[in-house]
Amino acid sequence: MPVSSPFRKIGGYSYQMVTVPARRKRATIHDVAVEAGVSRGTVSRVVNDEPYVSAQARTAIEAAIEKVGYVPNNAARNLVMQRSQAVGFVVHEPHSLFLDDPNIGGILLGANTVLSRADYQMVSLVIDSQRDTDRVARYLSGGFVDGVIIVSARHEDPMIRVVEKLALPAAFVGHPPDLRRLPFVGIDNRRSARLITERLMQTGRERIGMIAAALDRDSGADRLAGFTDALGSRFDPNLVARVPLYTYSDGAEGMRALLAREPDLDGVFAASDAVAAGALEALRDAGRSVPGDIGVVGFDDSSWALRTQPHLSTVHQPAFGLGAAAAECVLGQLRGEDQPADGILLETPIVWRDSA
Amino acid sequence: MPVSSPFRKIGGYSYQMVTVPARRKRATIHDVAVEAGVSRGTVSRVVNDEPYVSAQARTAIEAAIEKVGYVPNNAARNLVMQRSQAVGFVVHEPHSLFLDDPNIGGILLGANTVLSRADYQMVSLVIDSQRDTDRVARYLSGGFVDGVIIVSARHEDPMIRVVEKLALPAAFVGHPPDLRRLPFVGIDNRRSARLITERLMQTGRERIGMIAAALDRDSGADRLAGFTDALGSRFDPNLVARVPLYTYSDGAEGMRALLAREPDLDGVFAASDAVAAGALEALRDAGRSVPGDIGVVGFDDSSWALRTQPHLSTVHQPAFGLGAAAAECVLGQLRGEDQPADGILLETPIVWRDSA
DNA sequence: CCCCGAACTGTGCACGTTCACAGAGTCGTC
DNA sequence: GACGACTCTGTGAACGTGCACAGTTCGGGG
């Protein structure tokens, strides 16, 4: 006969215990059932908050759960339910930019908050190289996640096709033009850019230029389009400097180029706060005062905006809200609800500070 | 008799198919076995790269895997293996600081890189309130993760006791004093602070002050101790301003207090780059030139350091390396290897730029 | 020729859960 | 008093995998 373990009730099982196991085994639903004197099924109903359980059974089971310290085994549950209770968070961005871009942190936090409240876990996947793309694609098709949030996808991003093919519930943050009918959340870059440029005009600026960045991304192209919208017939292509990235150094360079071409500039719309910060440096070097000689506005309302001297007037980008909305969108699909086909656009209030 | 599906071979199973399932089911190890004409066991051996498989069987199975598009089911594997193949990444930091502190992003990235290379997934858990502490504690005890990385734990952090009680493989980034013998990775804050203060002295600064922050954390207290070490008998407590947080605004405030008390200061060690950036603003407002009138050094070598004017001389904190080392430490424990009992300290080179 | 070990393969069970179904009891209604 | 509706409970069958174990084949040595 098996000797009963000193610290653990075995119940109906017929384990032959030779030595006491080193690590105490976790209590299962079966242990709870034995402890409470009911069957597995009834325990399961209590755990999952289903009806058809007597008050008496419920109390007994709740006490038993407490006593044996039962926590449901996720692997078993996922196996039988055919789901993983996890959502992937894919960031397609080189490591360096991941650190530098304050929006990504906010998006991550917003998504994480919503997901964990719904008892989903968030698995972060960073794509830095082509090798990573394959790894992530394999991961997504491996059933490790029930859905996916994809941040900063590019034009022709392979992730788009992967997600389409797998028919995986997904939400993109931002919308590359070839997204077709996949759900996304974002902001109206074009409209926001138009509005802040208009306010710059309303403060009496006459010759307004723009430092346009990242024109290979929808955000970059849309911000330029909004700038053009605002100026209308007064638009002059000579007043636009084009730089590759949303960075401080590209901002400084763009500003220098613009000043060389158009010395009588009295207003600048920088495509992001980092770009604006770089522009401010170039202006300081050139001996121009801000906002005295020239007004500068940025975009994002990131931590850059308060680190510059003077503080930046800018468009507030709701990073946390974007992440939260993307998570809600995926959760909605998981619940089988219909999603708005055209994506969700969040509000972008304009923050007026000292730089213009 | 069941009608065979048009697109999927059923094999030896006796499924009664009434309608074609809406979502194509994933291929299982059984499907591969049937396709290759072998048993499940042999397929399992191939998948897990075990010996005792004939070359012929191996080729057939590999072809079959390719053909049916087999990907191992993680839930089933986890269930039978009694593990989750996931590691938790716990950040005990309010949301605001999570965004502001550039180190956390680097640590996250380093940990994520190492873990995903080892085919572990990383689950991020952010603790912002007491409610979150309970949620995370419950999560960790739920067997969702095989190990955990804990960032910025405080003195008497409840996570310490939770991890101890669960005997969960863990690595702390930074070491609260009551950590006892739990493994950690970190930097030698005290020594680094001493070294950079000494270099400030070597450049001829006579009256050197410090803006000390976050003295409730080991990092904050150690940086002050290192500063004291460097000055030795020349240490004057009046030259230390104490502020609560590693932030820009606290830095500005600390600098103003210091200037009011000691107008003839010619050197300042700020407890972090953000603090230094704030100090720079206060100095600009007071009309002091940096590094002309006064030398300023920071700590972290974060993105702040290159955003200030002039660029900051500072201590490089290897954030990515810390995350990577913490992940390696957890993976090592998972492999059953012994870990260094005293924790791991990473190098912190001093970066000399323009501010001192 | 027999035996033994090595190389290889197949099979049953266990992991812990949910779900469909069957069965038991209670109550009200025709 | 039979019957249906409703409430509650227990049971067996999956879910897809790894592992221990039991076979089978093959080759070499005594």
Side-chain angles (χ1 to χ4, degrees), chain A residues 26 74 121 139 144 304 307, chain B residues 74 121 139 144 304 307:
Chain A
R26 283 175 57 191
N74 228 231
Q121 48 182 286
Y139 190 85
F144 297 81
W304 280 104
R307 293 179 188 180
Chain B
N74 229 231
Q121 48 182 288
Y139 190 85
F144 296 82
W304 280 103
R307 291 180 189 179

Side-chain angles (χ1 to χ4, degrees), chain A residues 33-163:
Chain A
V34 171
E35 180 68 36
V38 295
S39 75
R40 285 173 5 244
T42 308
V43 177
S44 176
R45 276 184 281 269
V46 169
V47 170
N48 297 313
D49 214 22
E50 283 167 16
Y52 299 136
V53 180
S54 67
Q56 187 193 353
R58 173 156 281 143
T59 7
I61 290 167
E62 276 161 359
I65 287 175
E66 188 64 31
K67 183 173 174 193
V68 303
Y70 170 71
V71 184
N73 181 315
N74 228 231
R77 188 178 265 179
N78 292 346
L79 176 60
V80 69
M81 306 277 287
Q82 312 260 51
R83 56 157 172 69
S84 66
Q85 203 70 3
V87 170
F89 185 89
V90 177
V91 184
H92 191 160
E93 207 75 81
H95 284 178
S96 54
L97 220 61
F98 181 94
L99 297 177
D100 225 36
D101 187 339
N103 283 317
I104 295 183
I107 296 169
L108 185 143
L109 224 45
N112 195 57
T113 304
V114 168
L115 290 175
S116 61
R117 193 143 43 202
D119 271 325
Y120 273 80
Q121 48 182 286
M122 192 178 93
V123 181
S124 352
L125 305 159
V126 180
I127 302 183
D128 192 5
S129 66
Q130 177 58 38
R131 233 185 105 251
D132 288 338
T133 304
D134 299 342
R135 178 176 61 79
V136 169
R138 209 161 353 108
Y139 190 85
L140 292 183
S141 47
F144 297 81
V145 292
D146 299 334
V148 63
I149 295 169
I150 297 181
V151 180
S152 59
R154 314 282 208 287
H155 183 62
E156 311 241 304
D157 199 302
M159 279 302 115
I160 299 176
R161 298 289 92 82
V162 169
V163 166

